[in-house]
Amino acid sequence: MGTRFARRCFLAVPALLGLLLAGCATGRLDATKPVGQEARDIDFLMRLSGWMAVGVGIFVAAAVFAIIVKFRAKPTDDPDDLPPQVHGNRKAELTWTIIPTALLVFLTIFTLPTVFDLARVNAAEDARTIRVEGQQWWWQFSYDLNKDGRYDIVTANDLVIPTGEKVNLEIESNDVIHSFWIPQLNGKKDAVPGRVHDWTIRSDEPGIFYGECAEFCGLSHANMQMRTIVLTPDDFERWVEEQLEGKAAAQAAPAEGSAEAAGAALFETHCISCHVVDGPYESAAGGNANLLAGIAPNLTNLMSRTAFAGALYETYQIGPDGEYLRNPDGSLKLNLAELREWVRNAPDMKPARADNQQGMLDFSEVLTDQDLDNLMAYLQTLGSEPVLPATNAGAG
Amino acid sequence: MAIVTDRPDSADSPDGSGPGTELEVAEPDSHGDDSPRTGVFARPTHATGWREWLFTVDHKKIGIMYGALALFWFLIGGLEIGLVRLQLWAPDGEVISADFYNQLFTMHGVTMVFLVIMPLANAFANYLVPLQIGARDVAFPRMNALGLWIFFFGGIFLNLSWFLGGGADGGWFAYAPNTGMTFSPGHGMDFYALGLQIAGIASLLGAINLLVTIINMRCPGMSLLRMPVFTWMILVVQFLLVFALPVITVALILLTFDRTFDANFFNVDAGADPLLWQHLFWIFGHPEVYILILPAFGVVSETLPVFSRKPLFGYPIVVLSGAAIGFMGWGVWAHHMFTSGMGPVSVAAFSATTMFIAVPTGVKILNWIATMWAGKVRFTVPMMFSVSLVAMFTIGGLSGVMHAIAPADTQQTDTYFIVAHFHYVLVGGALMGMFAGMYYWWPKAFGYHLNDRLGRWHFWLMLLGFNVTFGPMHIVGLQGMARRHSVYGEFDGFEFWNKIATIGYFLMLIAMVILAVNIFRTWGRYRRGLEPGAGADPWDGRTLEWAIPSPVPEHNFDYVPVVSDVDDFWHKKYQPDETGKLRRIAYGNDIAQIGDQHPHLPSPSYWPIVLAMGMPLIGFGLIYNLWIAGIGLLLLVGSMFGWTLEPATDPDAGHGHGHDGYGDHDDDHGGGNHDDSPDGQDDGNGVLTASTANGEAAGD
């Protein structure tokens, strides 16, 4: 009986594995699909240790299984007849102390160099350093292009980097502890208030790689997402230019009497105590002095970001297969409905405690429909549409 | 001097509370003198009903109450996480709000760690340690009761937050500064800090008590290396508690001062470094992991030999590896902080220490397997739970080695891979071990077996549900699902395995319902006389608790046992014949003590529960109004005085002069080489009990 049962169990294994694979539909945060050197080094260690663990696990499971099948007391046994009374075996015990130790030494030898490699930033003179700031509940990325100590591009939710480059990150927090994590590009690094943590990311291919805050940071922790948009060096240069252009364009006041102008006025009344647009509303930056953008995202070039509200919502509409939808003229289809609803009543779309300066206020009692239309018109003037990676135009 | 009480057989003590007639029968005894020092107030003398339980100092009743409370909180903690599982059933779940979700997972963790697994281990430790070392009670019986009641009020206090504005919402790890007033303005974190503080006092009292008990009160002949492994593991755990709890106490005091008195320990703007909290929390928190798991290791180290009918393979190695885990557990705390930014040298060091703590753990597992190997394994319900611990804990241990590799951990930490890992350790390990212990010692504590068929249903559903719940979390964790996220997106690809996990939760829920049915149904049948008594030694046991009647009489042992070997009781049943083969020479039920002595026992007292009541009042006072704290403090100090003025043993309560060898009389029948000098119980205000003296013979 025992052997037939055993055979059945072994037949069940491939069936189970099949089921497992079926469930492994790749998500967009999959740590086991690395695209950069750092993430690949980590992946190697995970696979090495994982397979060793599976090996040891099968050994133990087989032993337990053998005990269940082979050493089960039989009803026919004389209840007073004892099995051989073995109290121990010095040699055996020594063996199974030494073997695990050896396996662990082996793993340690592979581990330690990687620990130090991951801690090493790109020391090249032309290395790019981007400041990453976590705050409840969104990420801000600041670029100092000419290394003059002033940030030239300040953006939110979308971290844009070129391919093939080991990009340095200076990770900070403006309130509580967060953790920066783009699974396919590198492991996590905590953003701790009062500290600056060096970290790097690198991607070999263009694409959109998703990430999120991984350290519990309060009410809307689940909604503190981000994405890394990896562009070819040429595309990246284009993105930089467009950002600077957008910044310049934002200085110009909209034509008088237009909806945009009405929106700009509303923006000045209701938004600038928290939000900033470089140029006209820069000086309004209040709240936390560490922030260029005040306590809410800097909205210069808002339209060039693929997502808003902590990357919870798409700025542009996505089709059923995750592809970007386009207007007849080839431009991206704005997700106006959700953007408008977000401005009207943000706490309804993302948990927040605005009364405690945590998250955006509810404006549904403040802004009329006309106000919202005007605001939408103004916001659409902020920046041009995003530069999307050539090989991965989708978000799914 | 012959006082006759009934032997505790099934008909007389249906509730499993032992004979319960000790004091009642003893009362008319003329032994008491005319100037009793009974303290300020009259002492409780209730020998039956609920008051007997409220004021008891009997380690067995206290142990049972710990167990009952733990199971109650297990229900609460389990239902809390049920809502979380429902929320995660589908992407963008809308079952509960993000705020409530955060409270639920925080309180689930706090409840399961501090109010379920720790007290469950305490239940077994309280009940069994004195029995396994041949003592009449713990060293400080009233302090034992105090620990229980402080734990009782601490748990209630912590959970009252649900009705007073919401539970704690900062995670069980409560990382600063998210738990400060600025970011968590509700009272949830106050209840967390003060509730854990109160529960911590209870654990500390219990730890000191058990340490003194194990070190001083072992019966003659029981050297340290003859101690049952369960008692050994409890000893290691108490050392861990004594050193780890002060650290969390300090951390919680800092947090309370920050929140209540505007201190700046974790205020970054005032120059604080939030990593201070992380270090403090995990210096406590990692030994805490071993505090949770080692008692379960102790339980299976008892059950595996009994049901394999072989001695434990490599007893000294199993003991030493347990102690080694206890020591090494202090050098690995920062592996919870690999991504916190503490620098590559620290990361490398803690990575290496963490890996090598797997060695003693692995040795234990292989020794258990060798114990079962070539045995005649009886797959009773406790054995099935024990074997599942060996297998399931192994999985948790192996994934633990995976994130000892710091770079791998930067991907795995704060994902469901970690959730899977520690649930395999704490459910597959600790809880399976506790269930094994429940089924194993139930007949000892209550005099009858839990129903076997329901027990098997419980086991199989539990094992299945557990794996269906937590197995998929390995996969979904590697796919990048972060912990403590109240929602996930539809493009994340997490839905399938989350659905499976939620189904698994309900399987476990059904398993727990079956356990509850088993407990109540079997109890009812026993009361109606439908369940047979278990007898003193139902499993052919190896340790001293099986050498006395079931349920255990109030005084535990009629006379002090004397041991000369590991598993001494077993050797009284089996001896080698002329060919050297072991033969049964006696049956446990025949050679067990009969429980007919009536020695002087520590008397019940009002003070432990009254003193404990002061604790939550102080807690409320710190949150709402310091005047309430004043009342609590008065109650606390007042009962301390009352306590001090009250002798441990009521001189009014008589006692029989049994031939018990415990030193409260001059007839040394027990055969121990203990001295007969007057012991703790005679000096009136001492806290030591009648059974102290025998410990002196127990040195190595």
Side-chain angles (χ1 to χ4, degrees), chain B residues 497-520:
Chain B
W497 290 116
N498 272 289
K499 282 198 161 45
I500 300 286
T502 302
I503 292 168
Y505 166 82
F506 283 101
L507 290 175
M508 279 200 282
L509 191 67
I510 296 169
M512 292 312 134
V513 170
I514 290 173
L515 172 66
V517 168
N518 196 347
I519 290 174
F520 287 109

Side-chain angles (χ1 to χ4, degrees), chain A residues 17 27 32 37 55 72 74 89 101 110 112-113 134 151 200 225-227 244 298 301 322 325:
Chain A
L17 276 178
T32 61
Q37 186 57 47
R72 178 188 286 276
K74 292 168 195 70
N89 182 324
T101 310
F110 276 93
L112 295 187
Y151 291 103
T200 65
Q225 300 172 14
M226 65 190 135
R227 39 193 72 169
L244 297 176
N298 181 321
N301 289 307
L325 301 182

Side-chain angles (χ1 to χ4, degrees), chain A residues 19-32 39 41-42 45-47 49-50 52-54 56-60 62-64 66-68 70-74 77-89 92-93 96-97 100-101 104-105 107-108 111-112 114-116 118-119 136 174-177 179 181-195 197 199 212-225 312 318-322 351 353 356 358 395-396, chain B residues 98-100 102 105-106 169-171 173 175-179 181-185 268 272-275 278 308-318 338-345 347-349 351-352 355-359 362-363 365-370 372-379 387 390-391 394 398-399 401-402 404-415 475 477-487 489 491-494 496-497 540 542 570-571 574 581-584 587:
Chain A
L19 187 70
L20 281 177
L21 291 173
C24 285
T26 309
R28 49 191 207 177
L29 293 158
D30 200 329
T32 61
D41 289 349
I42 295 173
L45 287 174
M46 289 214 292
R47 278 168 206 277
S49 59
M52 282 171 74
V54 168
V56 176
I58 287 175
F59 172 76
V60 172
V64 170
I67 288 165
I68 293 171
K70 227 177 132 192
F71 301 119
R72 178 188 286 276
K74 292 168 195 70
D77 283 349
D78 172 7
D80 291 337
D81 191 27
L82 296 170
Q85 302 289 296
V86 184
H87 286 267
N89 182 324
E93 284 162 88
W96 64 56
T97 310
T101 310
L104 290 164
V105 167
L107 270 178
T108 311
T111 300
L112 295 187
T114 311
V115 169
F116 289 94
L118 289 176
Q136 290 176 330
N174 291 313
D175 38 45
V176 301
I177 298 177
S179 193
W181 187 36
I182 310 283
Q184 287 178 271
L185 303 188
N186 203 342
K188 303 175 188 72
K189 187 58 123 183
D190 288 2
V192 180
R195 299 167 72 106
H197 289 154
W199 197 235
E212 55 194 5
C213 175
E215 185 61 86
F216 179 65
C217 61
L219 183 61
S220 231
H221 169 51
N223 306 313
M224 186 173 167
Q225 300 172 14
L312 200 53
I318 304 269
D321 299 325
R353 278 199 200 99
N356 197 38
Q358 295 169 291
Chain B
D99 188 26
F100 192 41
N102 294 344
F105 75 69
T106 302
D169 60 356
F173 56 98
Y175 273 9
N178 188 40
T179 47
M181 263 305 181
T182 318
F183 301 105
S184 183
V268 179
D273 187 340
L275 291 197
Q278 296 190 18
S308 306
R309 300 170 67 75
K310 281 177 63 196
L312 184 64
F313 191 94
Y315 166 93
I317 301 295
V318 174
F338 281 154
T339 66
S340 72
M342 57 182 180
V345 177
V347 170
S351 190
M355 266 195 242
F356 289 102
I357 204 168
V359 173
V363 165
I365 287 169
L366 290 165
N367 271 328
W368 288 330
I369 287 174
M372 292 184 278
W373 197 264
K376 289 189 174 171
V377 184
R378 292 178 288 165
F379 284 95
V387 174
V390 175
T394 301
L398 289 169
S399 59
V401 172
M402 284 181 73
I405 297 165
D409 184 66
T410 63
Q411 291 286 20
Q412 294 160 0
T413 188
D414 282 318
T415 69
I475 301 165
L478 289 176
Q479 285 177 346
M481 183 168 175
R483 295 169 74 180
R484 306 176 183 124
H485 278 198
S486 55
V487 287
F491 292 118
D492 293 337
F494 303 151
F496 177 77
W497 290 116
D540 201 7
R542 310 178 77 89
W570 194 83
H571 290 290
Y574 295 90
K581 186 165 169 50
L582 280 168
R583 293 275 175 221
R584 185 188 275 285
Y587 285 92

Side-chain angles (χ1 to χ4, degrees), chain B residues 441-456:
Chain B
W441 280 303
W442 198 273
K444 181 46 63 186
F446 300 107
Y448 59 92
H449 286 276
L450 282 173
N451 182 284
D452 187 68
R453 208 158 54 91
L454 288 172
R456 281 166 198 274

